[in-house]
Amino acid sequence: MDGLKHMNIPEMFGSMVFNENVMKERLPKDIYKALKKTIDESRALDPAVANVVANAMKDWAVSKGATHYTHWFQPMTGITAEKHDSFISPTEGGNVIMEFSGKELIKGEPDASSFPSGGIRSTFEARGYTAWDPTSYAFIKDGTLCIPTAFCSYSGEILDKKTPLLRSMDAISKQALRILRLFGNKDAKRVNTTVGPEQEYFLVDKQYYDERPDLQYTGRTLFGAMPPKGQEMEDHYFGTIKPRVSAYMKELDEELWKLGILAKTKHNEVAPAQHELAPIFTTTNIATDHNQLTMEMMKKVAGRHGLVCLLHEKPFDGVNGSGKHNNWSVSTDTGENLLEPGSSPRENAQFLLFLAAVIKAVDEYQDLLRISVANAGNDHRLGANEAPPAIVSMYVGDELEAVLKAIETGAVYKDRVKEKMEIGVCALPPIPKDTSDRNRTSPFAFTGNKFEFRMLGSSFSIACTNIMINTAVAEELRQFADELEDAADFNDALNALIKRVIKDHKRIIFNGNGYDDSWVKEAEKRGLMNLKSTPDAMPHYTDAKNIELFKRHDIYTEAELNSREEILLEEYYKTINIEALTMADMARKQIIPAVISYTKELADAAMAKKALGIQADLVEVSIIEKLSALNASLAAKLDKLEQALKEAAGKEGAQDLANYYHDVVFAAMNELRVPADELEMLTAEKYWPFPTYGKLLYGV
Ligand code: ADP
Ligand code: MG
């Protein structure tokens, strides 16, 4: 072990990133200034500037050993895509030079006809183009210069997750600036949303993984009895990190630091073999790029340690699944966090207005938040006893709730302020950031100066969730600004507005235990949505109010929304189809034959005993009877599942297919699993065809 070997982390950090320091060093002053302005104000890049930047970028990349470049983009598959081109350009005499032009930097043209488009491109051109997002730095990965880009079709339809995210950031910036001007802020030029995504994952031994077709094809176990020990002792959470895992985490940190990713916190999670990594927050589009890279690196580095990193939301039944917490805030380019309550009455008033915007946004667009976390994997978590329920609600803490109540009713806010809460006049009591009294069961919790959205699944891109939050909050700020800009008396109007919003939207605030059954009933009484599954949630994507929202803020057209809904529904039933086929295959080709082999051994043993004249109390016979009954039940349920899959072939339409896969196929899968897991408990270990949960969860 050379754990103490000197490592210069500040020098290593960002060494593979074409960041501001590198730009400053390698670009002429005027070009650097022009680029910096582009970045700071999220503008389009001037082509003359692009040529110089491209050349400097290429020289830098080549000096780091890069030979290729790629426009690195985020299609609707949820992962990233790249097509590598080398820098070589032929010269006379059969030689090459390394070249990279401004045109190539700004725009790429992948033949993108095989990416999901939800029907958009059958009616338009098949080709798409990618455009550099200069606010996210270029970086080198595996000898390739990666340029973070947005991806569109030639007729302008967006085909990726970055374009709408950037648009939603512009939308919220525009509306938040209107509000800030009303509070007398003349300095801020841009308002950015910031995100710190906490990422959960599992690590399993590669050797065991390779023996499980379910993990290989679907990322989760489709069979598996609980081992004698699960997570009931809660001894894994924050426990000592095993040496092999520790070595993995150390290398992962280093790889992420080289890419300029602010990997900060790492620890063991609740389930055995489960871990978490959290970065320091940054601007939302960069946080999104970084989270994609983090997930990619988690998988890659695992391979070097004989491990496999599972990012599925529910790799194991019976132990916690993995989520991703989206910590979100809004701040100005001058460094003011708009969700920080502050201490003066003016700061407090501004804070309360932004808080009101978030409350109204979450209430009115519950469905969009739910949709942004809907997939087949996360359906296993939401509503189960480990994750926030499928109902979206907000937690603001006792202090703020009391303040909101005092504002709403005009009552005296007891204990701390011995006077009426008058916005713009009174100061708020201190709002604690202490982690101890935070409500861990709330899907959308205020944590002192940011909101933590906890419904995201571990495998998701964080783009969609942030598109929803940014756009919904932008819309509320727009309405607020319209109202307040026209007001005769700003303070009076502000008081009235906040009071009204609290009154109209307080139903979304719930400080109690979100895991409690009584909450489901209470939420129903309040009229909150409970969209239990992906097929339940998805059709709301194109509800009239949502089409209106996205159109108004230039995020999506109606055609784009339809296409997104369709892509997500398709992804849902295709996922279940693959799972069902894998399950059927494992049951038919592995489990049934294994049970038969073991039964034969038992039968042989019983026969041998009988030949010796031992007749009474044959333990073999009683096991054979149980095995035979269960195997027969398994075979019958397998037939049922295969029949269900056959019938799916006759169905059409993404929504109908999704409903069918949820109601029929998925139900048949759950039934099939029951006898299989019982058989595992009865079958001798050497006959069981795959590594057990015990090995997977404790094998590292
Ligand atoms: P935990 O939720 O585990 O108690 P913290 O509250 O310390 O942890 O932080 C969780 C995440 O929130 C971190 O990634 C952190 O960088 C991020 N975070 C902190 N402040 C902000 C902010 N203003 N905007 C967005 N994310 C933030
Ligand atoms: Mg957290």
Side-chain angles (χ1 to χ4, degrees):
M1 289 283 288
D2 60 352
L4 293 176
K5 199 177 75 185
H6 177 72
M7 191 173 29
N8 189 336
I9 293 166
E11 205 166 277
M12 169 198 282
F13 189 84
S15 58
M16 289 302 186
V17 184
F18 194 75
N19 59 22
E20 227 165 282
N21 287 335
V22 182
M23 290 178 199
K24 210 182 260 169
E25 196 185 294
R26 289 185 171 253
L27 293 172
K29 251 202 187 106
D30 54 327
I31 298 285
Y32 169 74
K33 266 196 188 151
L35 181 62
K36 179 101 172 65
K37 201 171 160 67
T38 304
I39 294 171
D40 290 347
E41 295 171 22
S42 288
R43 299 232 203 131
L45 191 64
D46 174 348
V49 175
N51 266 326
V52 184
V53 176
N55 197 48
M57 225 186 235
K58 182 255 310 172
D59 286 344
W60 168 80
V62 169
S63 80
K64 298 263 177 191
T67 52
H68 288 67
Y69 72 91
T70 180
H71 281 224
W72 184 77
F73 60 103
Q74 302 173 30
M76 289 300 295
T77 52
I79 49 173
T80 54
E82 41 198 81
K83 179 190 109 190
H84 300 209
D85 279 300
S86 69
F87 290 123
I88 62 164
S89 171
T91 57
E92 259 173 73
N95 292 335
V96 294
I97 51 167
M98 302 296 258
E99 253 183 8
F100 186 47
S101 69
K103 223 174 88 197
E104 288 166 313
L105 166 64
I106 294 179
K107 213 168 191 182
E109 301 189 18
D111 174 17
S113 48
S114 293
F115 289 109
S117 70
I120 274 194
R121 253 150 353 122
S122 51
T123 48
F124 297 94
E125 258 205 285
R127 286 171 70 78
Y129 68 88
T130 51
W132 182 32
D133 162 19
T135 59
S136 185
Y137 300 135
F139 56 90
I140 297 170
K141 180 168 69 75
D142 292 332
T144 297
L145 172 68
C146 299
I147 301 149
T149 50
F151 176 39
C152 298
S153 80
Y154 261 105
S155 38
E157 281 78 16
I158 46 181
L159 300 170
D160 72 341
K161 303 193 175 200
K162 188 188 265 282
T163 314
L165 180 65
L166 292 172
R167 289 182 185 174
S168 74
M169 291 171 69
D170 286 347
I172 195 171
S173 176
K174 187 171 149 195
Q175 303 303 335
L177 285 174
R178 289 177 67 193
I179 299 286
L180 292 179
R181 299 292 181 254
L182 287 169
F183 282 91
N185 181 327
K186 295 191 188 78
D187 306 330
K189 282 202 198 69
R190 168 97 190 162
V191 166
N192 272 314
T193 54
T194 50
V195 168
E198 302 164 63
Q199 174 76 46
E200 292 181 342
Y201 61 99
F202 278 88
L203 287 178
V204 297
D205 194 293
K206 172 93 167 58
Q207 203 187 315
Y208 297 137
Y209 172 92
D210 286 343
E211 292 172 46
R212 301 259 343 188
D214 46 3
L215 283 180
Q216 287 176 309
Y217 292 131
T218 74
R220 74 177 180 105
T221 53
L222 300 167
F223 297 105
M226 275 305 284
K229 184 181 175 204
Q231 65 187 45
E232 58 277 75
M233 305 296 281
E234 299 190 339
D235 51 355
H236 194 253
Y237 191 54
F238 283 16
T240 317
I241 300 170
K242 289 178 183 169
R244 221 174 136 195
V245 175
S246 177
Y248 164 82
M249 287 176 164
K250 181 170 177 284
E251 193 176 330
L252 178 60
D253 275 343
E254 287 167 21
E255 290 294 343
L256 296 177
W257 289 337
K258 282 185 209 162
L259 290 169
I261 297 171
L262 293 155
K264 172 85 175 164
T265 313
K266 50 188 182 186
H267 62 80
N268 286 348
E269 259 300 327
V270 175
Q274 192 185 29
H275 314 281
E276 181 183 295
L277 183 144
I280 296 170
F281 71 96
T282 180
T283 317
T284 304
N285 63 321
I286 296 168
T288 305
D289 288 354
H290 283 181
N291 184 247
Q292 293 298 130
L293 277 173
T294 300
M295 291 193 285
E296 188 181 326
M297 278 303 160
M298 281 180 161
K299 293 192 165 178
K300 190 178 280 172
V301 174
R304 297 180 201 151
H305 293 256
L307 300 166
V308 174
C309 171
L310 304 177
L311 291 174
H312 193 283
E313 281 75 21
K314 192 74 181 173
F316 305 99
D317 199 31
V319 297
N320 274 6
S322 299
K324 176 141 56 189
H325 290 178
N326 192 79
N327 293 276
W328 176 92
S329 193
V330 200
S331 59
T332 63
D333 55 352
T334 52
E336 183 186 357
N337 180 348
L338 301 175
L339 293 178
E340 176 80 54
S343 48
S344 71
R346 193 207 68 94
E347 288 170 316
N348 289 170
Q350 186 182 293
F351 161 74
L352 286 170
L353 188 64
F354 278 95
L355 179 71
V358 180
I359 292 171
K360 186 163 183 279
V362 175
D363 187 28
E364 288 180 341
Y365 299 101
Q366 299 161 43
D367 46 356
L368 291 180
L369 288 172
R370 174 67 183 89
I371 285 164
S372 79
V373 299
N375 75 5
N378 218 18
D379 276 6
H380 296 282
R381 285 176 71 238
L382 297 180
N385 211 30
E386 60 181 79
I391 306 161
V392 177
S393 69
M394 281 172 94
Y395 167 81
V396 295
D398 295 339
E399 287 77 12
L400 261 186
E401 198 185 23
V403 168
L404 296 181
K405 195 162 191 158
I407 295 170
E408 184 203 346
T409 57
V412 171
Y413 180 71
K414 280 200 299 275
D415 302 337
R416 293 177 202 246
V417 195
K418 301 260 187 263
E419 57 194 324
K420 258 173 66 166
M421 266 308 301
E422 200 177 321
I423 295 152
V425 180
C426 300
L428 288 176
I431 309 295
K433 282 182 199 141
D434 179 23
T435 49
S436 60
D437 61 337
R438 275 192 210 169
N439 185 332
R440 293 268 162 203
T441 66
S442 175
F444 205 104
F446 183 66
T447 49
N449 58 4
K450 63 184 191 296
F451 278 97
E452 182 168 344
F453 181 50
R454 303 191 177 115
M455 288 171 94
L456 258 171
S458 48
S459 74
F460 279 73
S461 156
I462 62 172
C464 190
T465 277
N466 287 293
I467 293 166
M468 305 304 197
I469 303 177
N470 292 347
T471 312
V473 175
E475 169 58 19
E476 309 308 351
L477 294 174
R478 180 193 71 82
Q479 291 177 19
F480 291 1
D482 281 356
E483 185 171 331
L484 296 173
E485 279 167 359
D486 289 342
D489 183 297
F490 178 68
N491 257 1
D492 284 354
L494 185 65
N495 261 296
L497 188 155
I498 293 179
K499 200 167 168 166
R500 192 184 71 230
V501 169
I502 295 166
K503 204 169 157 173
D504 293 349
H505 300 283
K506 65 178 177 197
R507 65 170 186 169
I508 197 74
I509 295 171
F510 176 64
N511 284 351
N513 182 0
Y515 295 177
D516 206 280
D517 284 340
S518 61
W519 168 230
V520 177
K521 286 202 193 82
E522 165 70 16
E524 199 182 329
K525 244 195 268 162
R526 295 187 187 190
L528 299 180
M529 294 173 122
N530 185 3
L531 302 168
K532 291 196 183 108
S533 69
T534 301
D536 284 345
M538 236 22 108
H540 294 284
Y541 220 145
T542 43
D543 282 357
K545 72 168 173 75
N546 296 334
I547 295 176
E548 162 82 22
L549 171 78
F550 288 122
K551 262 196 195 158
R552 185 192 286 278
H553 294 276
D554 286 324
I555 314 293
Y556 296 122
T557 62
E558 189 170 348
E560 285 163 350
L561 281 172
N562 278 317
S563 99
R564 252 144 237 257
E565 184 179 312
E566 180 149 339
I567 289 170
L568 293 168
L569 284 166
E570 263 174 27
E571 183 190 287
Y572 173 81
Y573 69 74
K574 283 181 182 168
T575 301
I576 295 187
N577 191 53
I578 293 169
E579 290 181 350
L581 290 172
T582 306
M583 238 184 152
D585 220 52
M586 289 170 79
R588 200 166 289 291
K589 296 186 188 152
Q590 294 182 275
I591 299 178
I592 293 176
V595 173
I596 292 172
S597 300
Y598 180 44
T599 309
K600 178 160 187 309
E601 184 182 316
L602 290 166
D604 288 349
M607 298 280 276
K609 279 189 182 172
K610 274 189 189 167
L612 291 171
I614 306 166
Q615 300 284 347
D617 290 335
L618 283 176
V619 64
E620 293 84 355
V621 174
S622 78
I623 302 174
I624 288 171
E625 279 167 355
K626 283 186 201 153
L627 286 174
S628 301
L630 283 168
N631 223 17
S633 156
L634 183 74
K637 287 173 172 161
L638 176 55
D639 287 345
K640 201 171 149 191
L641 176 64
E642 285 173 338
Q643 187 56 34
L645 285 171
K646 262 195 208 119
E647 278 166 33
K651 310 244 176 276
E652 265 173 64
Q655 182 71 53
D656 285 352
L657 274 159
N659 291 344
Y660 178 80
Y661 270 88
H662 176 269
D663 299 343
V664 182
V665 178
F666 183 62
M669 287 165 59
N670 288 336
E671 272 189 50
L672 176 64
R673 180 169 180 155
V674 177
D677 289 356
E678 281 178 44
L679 281 166
E680 184 189 323
M681 306 286 282
L682 280 176
T683 304
E685 197 174 320
K686 67 172 183 181
Y687 283 96
W688 197 251
F690 353 94
T692 59
Y693 267 27
K695 280 185 176 156
L696 289 166
L697 290 169
Y698 296 98
V700 173

